[in-house]
Each structure stands twice: as structure tokens, then as C-alpha cells.
Amino acid sequence: MIETLLQALPFAWVLLQADHRIHSFSPSAQQLCQHTLQRQRPLPNWVDPEIREALLQKDAVFWPQQRLQWFVSSFDYQSQIYRLLFLFPSDYALQNATQLAESNLKLQALAHLGKTTSEIFHEMNNPLAAISMSVSMIERALKVLLKTVSTQVDQPEKLHPLFAEQQRHLDKMKESIHKLSYLRENVLHNTSSQKRERVLFWTVVETCLSSFIQQPIFRAMHLHLSPNESRQHWVKIDAIQFEQILFNLLNNAREATQGIGTVWISDRSLDHQAVLEIQDNGPGIAPELHDLILSPFQTTKKNQGSGLGLSISKQMIEAMGGTLDIREGTEKGACFVITFPTQPGETA
Amino acid sequence: MTQFKVLIVEDDSHIRSTLNQYLTLYHEAPYTLEVTEAATVALAKTCLHETAFDLLLSDINLPDGQGFEVIEFAKTIRPTIKVAMITSYSPETYIHQVKAQKIYNVIIKSAPFYFDEFSRTIDNLLYPEHAFGLEQYLTEAKPLQHFTLSSTHQIAEIQQALTSYLKQNGFDESGAYTLALIEAITNALYHSAKTETGALKYLKGDIIEQLDPAEAIEITLGADAEKMALSITDQGGMINPDSVLYWLERNITGENLLDESGRGLFLMHKLIHRFIINVERNKRTEIILIQYRDENTTPNRPVSIYIL
């Protein structure tokens, strides 16, 4: 019995989260749920006909999201699904349970971390503003002092290095405040809600790129676009955040190639996923660094940036139900791979 | 020397005393400021009872209530008092109260905090006529560039002038500035010129060959070490501050989908670091758009509307 419970737990967790994060169901988790529920056993009598019908749909690969959402939004259905999950663990579930539990725990931890971080960062504003104000006040006082000293002290120039030294420290403080403040804005911005819409993937990519191309910083870059000629996919993403992510990735490519490199951008489809690859001809990223570079505060750029760009991009993409990975490109440069689950609907 | 009485209501003692100290020591003006501090709604009300303040700056979240309560109370006992909110939150979160209480100024507590700008705001609140003129907002300004716009055919030329001015002063522009300029020009062109019966003379999108000299629009470009600024002045003075807040709220809450106007205002509010509206009723409206070189300037936008 305990074993059964343990096997089912990950699904129960997935479903618990479903009210809030229905979109972030990865297709494999959805499949897993369905597979579990579609076992060839008669369903108990207490299962509602609506659920019964949905569970027994043979040709459905995924549950239609609205239906699932509707199920989980009703408490009765929710409890029925939990009970079902406890009754019908599958071999497939067993195989995937550990992996899923791990990833769910990680997600849960991340969600918790995100909430806490956003609270902390919000509370940081007043102290930050206060420190910034004080630094500014010291600067002003210093200027007055310097003026007074110049007129009332013999050989004031002897004191100048001292003043310069103090100003240097103030500048350093300002720079640090700046960094903190930047970090704060980024974190707060990204933990705020996303507005996801159903959009044609490549159309969004193309729109973003055509606006980037006009920007002076990308002027010397070569961008090669290869859309998936056969079909376009619908995805559900926050187009504005996606633009930031794409900008961030392109900007990384620009920095890695001293602003004059080539970037290949292509899309393809794989197992109900829309895949976008962004590859540059820079020096590349060593494989052992791939995981590291996607975690917060890691950067290979000396004295540049907070190292949050990639990890934030990754978090944003994951919150939209997608993934961001690095792999070795066919050219020697870095290759970033973004995937989003495709939405049902006609392809264009 | 004239002395103004200022009340700062803020629960963070560090910020409260620093603002006080700044205003007392460094606010350069031909008048002096006497600053009183209060940390709670209750204390603020007591102060307002005892003293006739000229200016009230209030935080929103206070230990025993909200700053809106203080502002409402202040306006009731002294209708002529000038007020501004001072907060670290984005106006998006409280636009409804701001609109309901006709609060035309919201100062953002940000890091970096720009004290020069703070001084400018205080002075503008006390003397709204000081809010006019681009040079007020620049320190050690680079040479200004002036244009008179009297036909829609000149828009492209001004747009180009802006682009080269930005380039000349080393600004990397993402397009936001140009867009805001066009929005402001469009507003000035189509909303200020009126016929004798008071109806709008031109419809949005009309080609205007030649505006009446009394309807011409003045555009000024300027910059200093830390920011780029431009102003667009029409001779209408038609903008009503309450409708500005009305449009901002509609756009923020998303009720605007079918609206035909108001989007330009919202765009300028969102895209531009500092969007200032100065109105001398029936005489002139000046829109000032300021973009800091430091892109990190908090995304929370102040509200700055000055009425003469």
C-alpha cells in the first residue's frame, strides 16, 4: 500500500499544482497522468461520467487543457482524480516516478524560492533608496567641504587626494547600489505574472528579430534565419518576455563574437514541441559549464553583468512551460535550444 | 524671505530624515523651507491640525493606514495645500486612488535617487510656473535645438533632427523616444487647434498644410550629462489633468480596448522615464519627455502634472 501511495504521489502533486499552473504541465507529465488513468481496469462507480468519458478517450494524446482545467477547478472532480491516482499507479509511473518527483520537488522549491526572493527584493527598495539618498548627500557635503577648504586652508591641494579618495569610494558605492537595484528590478519583474497568449511561434520570432536587426548594437552582426518551411506551430507564451529572452540570447552571442559574429536561428518541431535553436560562431561554452551557466549568478564575462541574464531567461521560459538548454553547436560556437509545447490547433 | 511649510509623512526614518535634511540644506531657491516630519497617519493628522502647511509629501503604506487618508484629510482642512505622493510602488498599483483623489504628482523612491529632480518637483509644486521650460530640467545643458512646427510635412524632418541629436549626444535609442515624440506631436497638432465654435479643427490623420501662427507648436531638444530631454508646446492648454489620470487608469486596467484616444498618453507614461505635463489653461500645454542615460532608472514611473 505504501508503495502504491509513493508511486502516485508525484501525480497528486502535479494535479495539486494544476489549478495554478495548468499551462506548465509538461506534455510528458500529461501523458503520464493519462497513461496511468487509462489502465485496462474498470473504473469505480463513483467516477463521474464526465471524467469517465475523458479518461477513456482512446485517440486523445493529451487531455484537452480546458477540460483538465475544468476538472481541477472543481473540488469534487479534484478529489475524484486524486482517489483514482491512488488506485491506478502504472508501471510507466513507477519508471518515471523518481525522475518526476525530483523535478517536481525542484519546481516546488523554485516556486517557493521565487516567492521568498520576490518578497525580499521588494522589501529591499526602501533601504536601497535610503542608502542611495545618503550617498548623494555625502557627495554634496563633500563638494561644500572642498569649496570651504580651498578658500580657508593653506595649501589646499595637499588635501585634494584625500577628497578624490573619498569620491572614489562613493562612486564604488553608487556602482554597487546600481547593481543591486538592477538585480531587484529583474527579479521582481520576472516573478510578476506572465501574460500568455496563443501565438504562431515563428511569426513571433521573426517579429522580434526584425526589430532587433534595426538596433545599432546588432548592426554588424549577421543573422541567418531558417524557418521550418513545412509548418508553423501554435505556442502559448508571453510574447513580450519572449522578446526579452531572445534579445538576451542574441546579446550574449554579440558579446561572445565581439559584435561582428554570425548567428543562425532555426526552428523545427519534435514530439509536440516547437524547438528554436540559436547558434553563434563565438568561442562556445565548454560542456562542463552548461549547467553552471544556466544557474543564477554565473557568468563567464569578466566584470560584466550580474550573471542573471541566462538563469532569468531560463526561469521565464520554464514558467511558460518550455525549456532552455545549451548544447554544442555544429559550428564551434554556443547553441541555445528553446522548446515550447505546441498547442493544438490548425497549423499555418 | 518667503518661507514654506512642508510636511513629510514617511515611516522609514532614514528616508524621512534624509529628505528633510536635503530640503533644509541643499534645496536652492529664493525661499526657505521649514520641514516637519511625521511617521504615521495619526501624527500627520495632528501636525496638519496644528500647522498650516503649504506642501504635503506622503508615503502610501504607513503603519496605521494609508497616505491617501492623510492627503484627503489635508485637502479637507486646507484646500489650497499642494500634495504629492512619495512611494516605491509603481503608480499602476494605485492609479485608482490617485485618480479618485486628484493627486497629480507621484514621486518615486528609487535607487539611484535623483535629488536634482526632487528639488525641481518641489519647486514646481510650490510655483507651477517654474515647471515650464526645458532648461529647468537640465544641469549644464548642451546647446538646445528649437523647432517650430506648423505643418504635418515637417514631422519627418523633426524626427530626423531628434535622431541626429540623440546620436550627437551619444544616446542609444531603442525607438521609444521617437515613438513618444510622434505621440506628443500628434496630440499637440490635433487636440489644440479649435474652430470658433470650440470644435476640433483637425481630425487625427488629417494632413495639415499650414497651421495658423497662433496654433504653431514649439519643439525643443536638449541634453545634459545624464539625460536627454525634449519639450513639445502647443498654444491650446486644453489638457485636463483629471482626464489624463482617467486615460492612464483605463489603459492600465485594460478597459481601453475600444478607446480611440488616451493610448498615446499611456505610451508616453510607460516608455519614457519622466513624462511631465504642464498646463496653462487655454494658453499652452507643454509636454516634457526626459530619458535618463542610465537605463536602470526604475521602471516605476512618476506622475507629474502641473497646472498654472
Side-chain angles (χ1 to χ4, degrees):
Chain A
M1 184 59 195
I2 286 175
E3 209 178 30
T4 318
L5 274 172
L6 280 177
Q7 284 165 19
L9 262 175
F11 308 113
W13 193 85
V14 167
L15 280 160
L16 264 173
Q17 293 298 304
D19 319 34
H20 316 293
R21 309 204 34 167
I22 192 87
H23 313 296
S24 58
F25 261 50
S26 72
S28 62
Q30 286 181 29
Q31 243 166 345
L32 205 56
C33 287
Q34 206 199 9
H35 190 91
T36 314
L37 297 167
Q38 270 189 345
R39 300 275 295 186
Q40 302 297 313
R41 270 194 243 173
L43 287 165
N45 292 335
W46 46 261
V47 175
D48 193 276
E50 285 269 11
I51 298 185
R52 187 183 300 269
E53 190 198 332
L55 294 183
L56 300 176
Q57 270 176 12
K58 286 208 178 84
D59 50 348
V61 181
F62 308 124
W63 280 13
Q65 289 211 341
Q66 278 97 352
R67 189 187 291 270
L68 192 57
Q69 193 158 26
W70 174 72
F71 275 159
V72 295
S73 64
S74 137
F75 179 76
D76 285 350
Y77 289 140
Q78 223 173 21
S79 62
Q80 286 183 28
I81 289 176
Y82 295 150
R83 284 162 74 187
L84 272 174
L85 283 168
F86 282 91
L87 283 173
F88 293 89
S90 70
D91 314 335
Y92 189 38
L94 199 61
Q95 285 164 19
N96 289 275
T98 333
Q99 200 188 343
L100 200 69
E102 265 174 19
S103 69
N104 281 338
L105 272 175
K106 207 171 148 192
L107 251 180
Q108 199 176 17
L110 265 179
H112 183 71
L113 187 70
K115 197 166 166 287
T116 321
T117 328
S118 115
E119 276 163 14
I120 293 171
F121 273 80
H122 208 98
E123 286 305 313
M124 259 170 64
N125 187 68
N126 265 4
L128 257 181
I131 297 170
S132 161
M133 285 174 184
S134 287
V135 168
S136 206
M137 292 288 281
I138 299 172
E139 267 189 316
R140 274 165 208 269
L142 209 59
K143 269 184 201 147
V144 176
L145 198 62
L146 187 62
K147 220 185 248 170
T148 323
V149 163
S150 317
T151 52
Q152 297 180 7
V153 175
D154 291 337
Q155 296 182 303
E157 60 282 357
K158 281 193 175 167
L159 288 170
H160 284 173
L162 221 58
F163 281 111
E165 171 83 15
Q166 294 195 38
Q167 185 59 50
R168 256 200 310 282
H169 281 293
L170 286 176
D171 287 342
K172 278 183 192 164
M173 279 176 79
K174 274 169 27 187
E175 204 178 301
S176 302
I177 294 169
H178 193 283
K179 268 187 190 160
L180 269 175
S181 173
Y182 179 75
L183 205 69
R184 178 185 171 275
E185 293 308 337
N186 262 303
V187 172
L188 282 184
H189 182 76
N190 294 313
T191 45
S192 64
S193 62
Q194 291 178 335
K195 284 194 181 147
R196 298 173 62 193
E197 289 166 299
R198 204 164 159 273
V199 288
L200 276 170
F201 193 40
W202 185 258
T203 311
V204 176
V205 173
E206 227 171 11
T207 316
C208 296
L209 293 174
S210 62
S211 87
F212 298 157
I213 290 170
Q214 290 165 9
Q215 298 197 12
I217 56 165
F218 292 123
R219 204 161 282 156
M221 298 287 292
H222 300 279
L223 302 184
H224 289 283
L225 312 184
S226 6
N228 182 345
E229 300 295 348
S230 54
R231 50 194 238 147
Q232 264 224 59
H233 293 289
W234 290 98
V235 290
K236 198 162 182 184
I237 57 174
D238 181 324
I240 294 175
Q241 281 202 355
F242 181 71
E243 181 172 349
Q244 290 175 0
I245 294 163
L246 215 53
F247 182 88
N248 188 4
L249 291 177
L250 273 191
N251 202 27
N252 278 335
R254 182 184 70 89
E255 283 170 0
T257 59
Q258 272 80 46
I260 48 165
T262 306
V263 181
W264 292 268
I265 296 147
S266 60
D267 86 325
R268 59 195 165 85
S269 56
L270 186 78
D271 274 350
H272 307 284
Q273 302 278 332
V275 183
L276 186 75
E277 289 186 350
I278 297 148
Q279 181 168 345
D280 63 50
N281 64 346
I285 299 163
E288 60 273 22
L289 290 177
H290 286 184
D291 279 344
L292 198 63
I293 213 163
L294 292 171
S295 350
F297 307 107
Q298 298 296 334
T299 179
T300 54
K301 294 175 237 164
K302 287 197 183 87
N303 303 323
Q304 270 186 48
S306 57
L308 266 173
L310 277 173
S311 83
I312 283 176
S313 298
K314 189 172 153 71
Q315 275 180 34
M316 282 157 115
I317 291 176
E318 282 171 358
M320 294 183 219
T323 61
L324 171 66
D325 286 303
I326 311 175
R327 61 172 184 74
E328 279 173 89
T330 44
E331 303 294 315
K332 68 182 170 86
C335 180
F336 287 92
V337 185
I338 300 175
T339 68
F340 287 113
T342 51
Q343 295 284 307
E346 71 285 19
T347 48
Chain B
M1 200 189 266
T2 321
Q3 188 184 55
F4 290 105
K5 292 188 168 64
V6 184
L7 177 62
I8 300 179
V9 188
E10 160 72 65
D11 59 338
D12 186 312
S13 62
H14 184 160
I15 292 184
R16 195 175 63 232
S17 62
T18 312
L19 290 176
N20 179 355
Q21 207 186 358
Y22 174 82
L23 289 179
T24 320
L25 288 176
Y26 297 114
H27 181 69
E28 282 176 32
Y31 49 83
T32 55
L33 297 174
E34 189 192 283
V35 182
T36 308
E37 298 177 23
T40 61
V41 174
L43 273 174
K45 283 186 179 172
T46 314
C47 292
L48 285 161
H49 250 310
E50 287 168 359
T51 315
F53 286 100
D54 301 288
L55 175 62
L56 164 67
L57 303 178
S58 177
D59 190 9
I60 292 185
N61 286 332
L62 294 163
D64 56 343
Q66 289 220 307
F68 294 109
E69 215 180 303
V70 179
I71 290 188
E72 195 177 4
F73 181 79
K75 281 184 170 175
T76 320
I77 61 166
R78 194 173 152 83
T80 54
I81 194 168
K82 306 283 174 55
V83 300
M85 303 254 38
I86 175 156
T87 173
S88 52
Y89 288 89
S90 150
E92 272 72 5
T93 48
Y94 47 79
I95 184 74
H96 183 69
Q97 285 112 305
V98 165
K99 189 194 115 202
Q101 293 200 10
K102 298 175 187 287
I103 298 167
Y104 302 147
N105 283 278
V106 177
I107 300 165
I108 304 288
K109 278 185 268 179
S110 61
F113 187 82
Y114 299 100
F115 270 115
D116 289 334
E117 188 182 279
F118 180 61
S119 261
R120 184 74 262 130
T121 306
I122 300 299
D123 191 47
N124 289 352
L125 281 163
L126 294 170
Y127 292 100
E129 61 269 34
H130 292 178
F132 289 84
L134 197 61
E135 50 293 348
Q136 313 272 20
Y137 298 85
L138 301 166
T139 33
E140 294 169 25
K142 311 247 164 74
L144 302 179
Q145 245 177 48
H146 299 278
F147 300 91
T148 305
L149 182 81
S150 52
S151 150
T152 43
H153 301 304
Q154 283 168 279
I155 295 180
E157 177 196 324
I158 285 171
Q159 203 178 330
Q160 253 172 18
L162 174 71
T163 312
S164 59
Y165 195 86
L166 288 169
K167 205 172 164 191
Q168 195 183 317
N169 288 293
F171 270 87
D172 231 359
E173 228 279 281
S174 62
Y177 220 0
T178 320
L179 184 62
L181 171 77
I182 300 297
E183 285 295 340
I185 290 181
T186 314
N187 274 349
L189 273 176
Y190 298 110
H191 293 297
S192 61
K194 301 224 169 171
T195 61
E196 279 156 20
T197 58
L200 285 178
K201 209 161 162 183
Y202 304 104
L203 287 176
K204 217 166 182 173
D206 279 358
I207 290 173
I208 304 172
E209 292 296 341
Q210 187 65 47
L211 278 172
D212 217 71
E215 293 164 352
I217 292 156
E218 295 295 331
I219 295 165
T220 308
L221 307 180
D224 65 17
E226 61 181 10
K227 56 192 177 288
M228 166 80 205
L230 64 87
S231 73
I232 299 102
T233 310
D234 67 42
Q235 304 176 54
M238 298 296 179
I239 290 189
N240 174 349
D242 296 321
S243 48
V244 172
L245 297 179
Y246 168 81
W247 290 120
L248 285 184
E249 188 192 8
R250 277 185 76 82
N251 278 274
I252 287 163
T253 53
E255 285 166 28
N256 62 315
L257 288 177
L258 298 171
D259 291 357
E260 287 188 355
S261 50
R263 210 160 295 160
L265 282 175
F266 179 65
L267 278 177
M268 288 187 269
H269 167 76
K270 280 307 271 187
L271 290 173
I272 301 299
H273 296 153
R274 303 292 181 258
F275 168 40
I276 300 158
I277 303 174
N278 299 323
V279 185
E280 185 173 3
R281 284 222 170 93
N282 299 322
K283 277 213 164 138
R284 58 177 167 154
T285 303
E286 182 184 51
I287 303 286
I288 292 176
L289 304 170
I290 295 172
Q291 206 73 335
Y292 279 90
R293 203 179 280 275
D294 177 5
E295 274 299 320
N296 183 34
T297 303
T298 161
N300 297 346
R301 304 288 189 238
V303 175
S304 320
I305 309 172
Y306 302 100
I307 310 291
L308 194 56

